[in-house]
């Protein structure tokens, strides 16, 4: 099986980028692939722990945690987190923070790379 690195660069409003990325990661992991997920821009909000689930709003917390339990590696952009007021202690357990150089290094070692939401 191969390694897939997914970079999610979500826009401010009305984007389904995170939903698509998580479903893609789920499919790849279920087929036996290794998946690295990079959260950048507004996608970093997915990394915040203790978010409230609202009816009729996308809520990816449970599926994200399940995928992490199956080996999904999640890294959230440190600068993007800081600019949104998300501190290291606010992150879901197991999600790491790093600068873009880690994403680039992971991408270089992956069999396939997909950037989602780049404008």
């Amino acid at each position: 099986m191969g390694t897939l690195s997914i970079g999610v660069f979500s826009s401010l409003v009305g984007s389904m980028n995170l939903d698509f990325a998580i479903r893609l990661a789920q499919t790849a992991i279920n087929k036996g692939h290794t998946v690295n997920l990079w959260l950048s821009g507004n996608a970093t909000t997915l990394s915040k722990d203790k978010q409230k689930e609202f009816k009729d709003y996308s809520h990816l917390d449970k599926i994200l945690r399940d995928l992490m339990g199956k080996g999904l590696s999640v890294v959230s952009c440190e600068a993007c987190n800081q600019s949104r007021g998300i501190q290291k202690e606010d992150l879901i357990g197991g999600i790491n923070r790093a600068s873009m150089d880690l994403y680039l290094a992971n991408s270089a070692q992956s069999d396939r790379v997909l950037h989602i939401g780049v404008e």
Side-chain angles (χ1 to χ4, degrees):
M1 293 291 128
T3 299
L4 171 65
S5 285
I6 304 171
V8 188
F9 304 83
S10 290
S11 60
L12 289 173
V13 179
S15 174
M16 294 299 289
N17 292 343
L18 279 172
D19 296 81
F20 174 75
I22 293 297
R23 298 299 178 189
L24 178 64
Q26 180 181 42
T27 301
I29 286 173
N30 288 342
K31 290 184 179 243
H33 297 287
T34 299
V35 180
N36 301 312
L37 183 66
W38 170 262
L39 303 174
S40 189
N42 286 321
T44 59
T45 59
L46 180 61
S47 66
K48 188 166 185 328
D49 197 13
K50 300 177 185 168
Q51 295 187 42
K52 185 173 181 177
E53 184 173 354
F54 286 95
K55 184 180 178 185
D56 300 327
Y57 283 86
S58 178
H59 189 73
L60 300 169
D61 184 78
K62 292 175 188 165
I63 189 170
L64 179 68
R65 290 173 192 267
D66 179 57
L67 291 173
M68 289 172 61
K70 293 178 179 179
L72 176 68
S73 171
V74 183
V75 179
S76 191
C77 174
E78 186 172 31
C80 297
N81 274 324
Q82 285 296 118
S83 70
R84 286 159 181 79
I86 302 171
Q87 306 302 318
K88 189 174 184 177
E89 59 272 8
D90 297 329
L91 298 180
I92 293 170
I95 293 181
N96 296 311
R97 285 171 33 138
S99 61
M100 181 67 103
D101 60 338
L102 179 64
Y103 173 60
L104 296 173
N106 282 342
S107 295
Q109 296 175 1
S110 296
D111 297 301
R112 297 288 184 262
V113 178
L114 179 62
H115 300 282
I116 300 173
V118 179
E119 298 181 38

